[in-house]
Amino acid sequence: MFESVGSLVGSPWIYALVALSVLLDVFLPMLPSGVLVITAATAAAAGTAAGTGAAAAAVPDDVPDILALTLCAATASVLGDLVAYLLAWRGGPRLDRAIARSRRLTTAQERLGGALARGGGALVVLARFAPAGRSVVSLVAGAAHRRARDFVPWSALAGLSWAGYSVALGYFGGQWLGATWLATGVSLVALFAAGAGAAYLVRRQPRAAGAR
């Protein structure tokens, strides 16, 4: 695996690339931030598992540090949420009209507003795993002028949970299956499965709960 991507995951620039991808995927959900995090974590697993000789030859000399990778991804996630939240806060009538035209955004606004008002911001954490859920939650929270103290702590928990889960998948996949594309593929399937499950749970959140 690392014969083709070793120069990338073995460079300190991997942290910058992961951070930039995670930061921007709140606006461009198609960015492969999850793939990058899992690949880097698999490299870290290979670095700790490799011994000497031929087994270590295919592993970069400087593999990512697990803790640094987790904190990098989590911090970038929170910063991206904040940027989207602040932009939406100042979006004005144009953004309000865009949300009103979208049934998905309108429904999310109703559910999120109630969840944050009740301290039930677990919805923010769930949405972080769902496809494009992070984007919807951050933009809707800002457009609805939800208080930062109601949103930011849940955003931080969401970012740390997502980063920790993604890194753990890559790391333990690499430990169990070795530094192969199979390990990365299995880890990505698990990440996408969590996303599908989170999307299902978010859709099942009662809309009327926001009125309480």
Side-chain angles (χ1 to χ4, degrees):
M1 171 180 175
F2 295 111
E3 292 178 358
S4 56
V5 297
S7 60
L8 173 63
V9 298
S11 166
W13 285 104
I14 187 62
Y15 298 111
L17 187 58
V18 164
L20 185 62
S21 178
V22 174
L23 178 69
L24 293 179
D25 76 2
V26 69
F27 302 105
L28 302 169
M30 72 289 298
L31 287 178
S33 56
V35 176
L36 282 173
V37 172
I38 284 177
T39 302
T42 304
T48 58
T52 57
V59 180
D61 294 331
D62 184 19
V63 296
D65 177 80
I66 285 295
L67 180 58
L69 182 63
T70 303
L71 292 177
C72 175
T75 301
S77 179
V78 177
L79 290 177
D81 288 355
L82 280 175
V83 171
Y85 169 85
L86 292 174
L87 288 176
W89 183 289
R90 301 171 182 174
R94 180 178 298 180
L95 182 60
D96 292 338
R97 289 194 295 270
I99 290 177
R101 288 194 300 267
S102 170
R103 187 174 67 176
R104 181 181 183 186
L105 290 175
T106 301
T107 300
Q109 187 175 41
E110 294 172 353
R111 293 173 178 172
L112 179 64
L116 292 178
R118 305 191 314 275
L123 179 62
V124 178
V125 180
L126 273 178
R128 181 61 183 88
F129 289 82
R134 173 194 181 199
S135 306
V136 172
V137 164
S138 300
L139 292 172
V140 165
H145 289 186
R146 297 298 169 186
R147 295 177 302 180
R149 67 183 183 185
D150 289 335
F151 173 70
V152 173
W154 289 106
S155 171
L157 179 59
L160 186 58
S161 299
W162 177 84
Y165 180 71
S166 301
V167 168
L169 285 178
Y171 184 80
F172 290 113
Q175 288 281 338
W176 294 333
L177 299 175
T180 64
W181 289 116
L182 175 61
T184 302
V186 169
S187 299
L188 287 174
V189 168
L191 182 64
F192 294 148
Y200 174 77
L201 292 174
V202 168
R203 286 196 299 269
R204 285 183 62 85
Q205 290 291 321
R207 188 183 308 183
R212 293 195 297 177

